Amino acid sequence: MKQSLLVTKTRKVISSQETSINAQLLERAGYIAKLMAGVYTYLPLGLRVLSRIESIVREAMNSLEAQEILMPALQPKDPWEVTGRWDKVDILYKIKVGDRDLCLGPTHEEIVTPLIGGYIHSYKDLPRAVYQIQTKFRNEARPKSGLLRGREFRMKDLYSFHTSEADLHEYYEKVREVYMTIFKRCGLGDITYYTYASGGMFTKYSHEFQTVAPLGEDTIFVCESCLIAVNQEIRADQPVCPNCSSSELVERTSIEVGNIFALLSRFTEPFNVEYSNQENTQQSVLMGCYGLGTSRLMGAIVEVLHDEKGIVWPVEIAPFSIHLISLSRKPETQIRAQELYDLLVNGGFEVLFDERIDCSAGEKFADADLMGIPFRLVFSEKTAAVDSVEFKGRTQSESSLIILSSLVEFLRNQIVAQK
Ligand code: ATP
Ligand code: MG
């Protein structure tokens, strides 16, 4: 894509009173725009990033044999009365239209349980799992921290249905592993911990995935040998590792990027979702639910992966992998820069091409650093004269000269090395 055609422009300062790093950088670089507290537009660059995160999540869910669906955000009151949550869930956005009560889905247990339950008759129909990636609505008291706590935000929610606790827990453990692959691909693998948590409004059996970051709202105690953590909310006076019983845990501030629950029959009982077992007796289906905030994850990545100049996207998440900057002044070099862009696009690379002629080199470099695309190429009269281009990784301080004839292979290797 040509940068001169991009609908957004970078900004030195943003007008809103955003204090979090993720909101500052994402708004300044033109990834998101704030509409009101906790509500954001995803601009072209931002939507590319969000879509990449959601593709990684989708791939992970499909590997669990879960099937993708899309449930309505607009929901009737009735199922929320069945579970007793209409008056209990304080963040529910309620809408009254005439004499009809509706709400905007903050989560989907009330919809998915009777929906999938309607297709389950016998043990032969189990296990099953469905997921969706969707916009959720929660009337959060204090939407702050940019994408980390929104009133309208993106979430992947997975629901699994089982005959036995053993089967549910086996699936739960698979989800745990697959979640870690997601966080690895998003560049947060080393600092995201499987965390023992209290389970909030559900059962006592739940876990979180917590990413260590200064802006986080949570406090966890990390066992650095087992690489798991305990959330402060359930710690005893002396927190110990649930795996090795060590009491030498390290206190960290963290962001909850995912939360999984063994719901058991918490929702299937009120909706009467039963199956007949091999002896032909009716039993409650057991359920698990597994949340992951894709927009919160995008914010968390920026909170962790940035420097004083801007964002540092991991290669799998970046809106483009290559930022080609042309500093050409002469028309013939501009034509060669365009040819280089075509060569890269035809080679299968996703390239943002800064061919703007009304910008200084300094402005272009500052924009590139702020946007955070992993690899920068600079083509100028000087490099054109030696049939080369200057290459620099986003976090490198020195650039190197690459001969054009070997550029495609060189870039392929760079991208593979970063994945
Ligand atoms: P929190 O404890 O942060 O309020 P939660 O425990 O209520 O979140 P869940 O209902 O388990 O969250 O939702 C699953 C996931 O959705 C969370 O782990 C988080 O990644 C994301 N999420 C929840 N609330 C928000 C929000 N207001 N904005 C952005 N993402 C959110
Ligand atoms: Mg939580």
Side-chain angles (χ1 to χ4, degrees):
M1 174 186 270
K2 289 185 175 167
Q3 203 165 328
S4 67
L5 301 180
L6 203 57
V7 294
T8 55
K9 292 188 171 53
T10 60
R11 295 192 175 136
K12 288 216 164 56
V13 285
I14 51 172
S15 52
S16 62
Q17 292 117 28
E18 298 280 7
T19 52
S20 66
I21 291 168
N22 77 87
Q24 276 285 340
L25 293 178
L26 288 169
E27 280 201 49
R28 282 183 46 214
Y31 284 86
I32 60 172
K34 185 175 184 168
L35 180 62
M36 56 182 167
V39 181
Y40 292 88
T41 295
Y42 291 84
L43 294 161
L45 293 173
L47 186 58
R48 288 178 79 102
V49 171
L50 183 68
S51 304
R52 281 178 204 269
I53 293 172
E54 295 186 347
S55 300
I56 289 174
V57 171
R58 182 173 282 113
E59 228 179 84
M61 293 303 108
N62 293 344
S63 79
L64 287 162
E65 305 288 346
Q67 296 159 43
E68 186 168 12
I69 60 173
L70 182 58
M71 291 179 273
L74 191 60
Q75 306 179 359
K77 180 182 184 183
D78 319 16
W80 288 86
E81 289 206 308
V82 172
T83 59
R85 292 211 292 179
W86 181 260
D87 293 316
K88 260 198 214 135
V89 175
D90 55 352
I91 47 78
L92 199 57
Y93 274 112
K94 296 176 180 170
I95 309 169
K96 195 152 186 104
V97 186
D99 56 359
R100 205 163 148 65
D101 286 306
L102 304 167
C103 69
L104 293 175
T107 177
H108 280 71
E109 287 82 10
E110 273 76 1
I111 310 304
V112 79
T113 312
L115 172 75
I116 301 303
Y119 298 102
I120 297 171
H121 306 292
S122 88
Y123 67 93
K124 290 179 192 154
D125 301 322
L126 293 167
R128 291 287 184 275
V130 292
Y131 74 97
Q132 63 175 349
I133 302 174
Q134 195 208 28
T135 301
K136 296 279 194 273
F137 300 86
R138 292 186 183 183
N139 191 11
E140 301 279 1
R142 275 174 298 281
K144 48 175 190 172
S145 319
L147 296 186
L148 299 188
R149 187 168 294 285
R151 285 188 169 141
E152 177 177 328
F153 60 96
R154 299 281 294 176
M155 194 208 283
K156 181 283 302 168
D157 38 333
L158 162 71
Y159 305 88
S160 68
F161 300 82
H162 308 267
T163 52
S164 68
E165 273 192 54
D167 194 52
L168 166 57
H169 288 140
E170 196 183 308
Y171 195 78
Y172 196 90
E173 285 302 311
K174 277 191 203 147
V175 175
R176 167 186 180 169
E177 277 169 35
V178 161
Y179 264 50
M180 289 314 293
T181 66
I182 296 171
F183 301 125
K184 268 200 196 100
R185 290 180 70 182
C186 291
L188 304 179
D190 295 341
I191 49 165
T192 301
Y193 296 96
Y194 186 67
T195 303
Y196 290 72
S198 73
M201 61 172 124
F202 297 140
T203 63
K204 55 183 185 300
Y205 193 46
S206 93
H207 293 89
E208 296 165 344
F209 294 81
Q210 294 276 359
T211 301
V212 171
L215 189 66
E217 292 182 25
D218 288 34
T219 302
I220 56 169
F221 293 90
V222 177
C223 175
E224 289 182 333
S225 44
C226 298
L227 299 177
I228 57 174
V230 186
N231 194 311
Q232 183 183 42
E233 61 184 5
I234 62 159
R235 84 184 170 105
D237 286 342
Q238 174 69 54
V240 292
C241 172
N243 193 43
C244 71
S245 303
S246 160
S247 56
E248 281 170 24
L249 307 186
V250 186
E251 186 173 332
R252 294 267 185 254
T253 302
S254 58
I255 300 167
E256 177 201 306
V257 285
N259 205 342
I260 63 178
F261 305 87
L263 296 171
L264 303 174
S265 59
R266 164 71 179 87
F267 290 89
T268 49
E269 254 170 38
F271 287 108
N272 246 327
V273 175
E274 297 184 336
Y275 70 98
S276 58
N277 67 13
Q278 299 203 33
E279 286 78 48
N280 235 345
T281 52
Q282 294 292 110
Q283 294 201 312
S284 279
V285 171
L286 301 182
M287 254 178 97
C289 76
Y290 317 83
L292 191 155
T294 54
S295 52
R296 181 180 284 185
L297 187 51
M298 178 169 163
I301 293 167
V302 178
E303 284 296 323
V304 175
L305 302 173
H306 68 269
D307 60 16
E308 67 292 347
K309 293 180 189 155
I311 303 170
V312 180
W313 292 116
V315 77
E316 289 212 67
I317 308 301
F320 296 90
S321 47
I322 294 161
H323 204 154
L324 171 62
I325 296 176
S326 166
L327 301 180
S328 321
R329 293 278 169 221
K330 294 186 193 149
E332 60 268 29
T333 337
Q334 282 165 2
I335 292 170
R336 286 191 64 193
Q338 172 72 44
E339 285 168 357
L340 175 55
Y341 171 64
D342 294 339
L343 172 88
L344 293 172
V345 170
N346 292 335
F349 297 103
E350 295 200 84
V351 187
L352 183 61
F353 180 28
D354 190 352
E355 31 55 285
R356 295 174 297 171
I357 44 173
D358 51 354
C359 277
S360 70
E363 283 171 301
K364 290 187 173 196
F365 295 158
D367 277 359
D369 282 339
L370 179 61
M371 286 178 180
I373 294 168
F375 303 114
R376 191 186 82 181
L377 295 177
V378 179
F379 190 71
S380 62
E381 256 83 51
K382 206 174 74 194
T383 69
V386 286
D387 290 325
S388 302
V389 64
E390 261 180 37
F391 167 87
K392 191 179 89 60
R394 171 62 183 79
T395 53
Q396 293 173 327
S397 48
E398 299 295 322
S399 55
S400 49
L401 213 53
I402 310 296
I403 299 285
L404 291 178
S405 58
S406 64
L407 182 64
V408 166
E409 199 194 340
F410 174 81
L411 290 173
R412 284 208 180 112
N413 292 337
Q414 290 291 326
I415 290 174
V416 169
Q418 284 231 353
K419 273 194 182 167

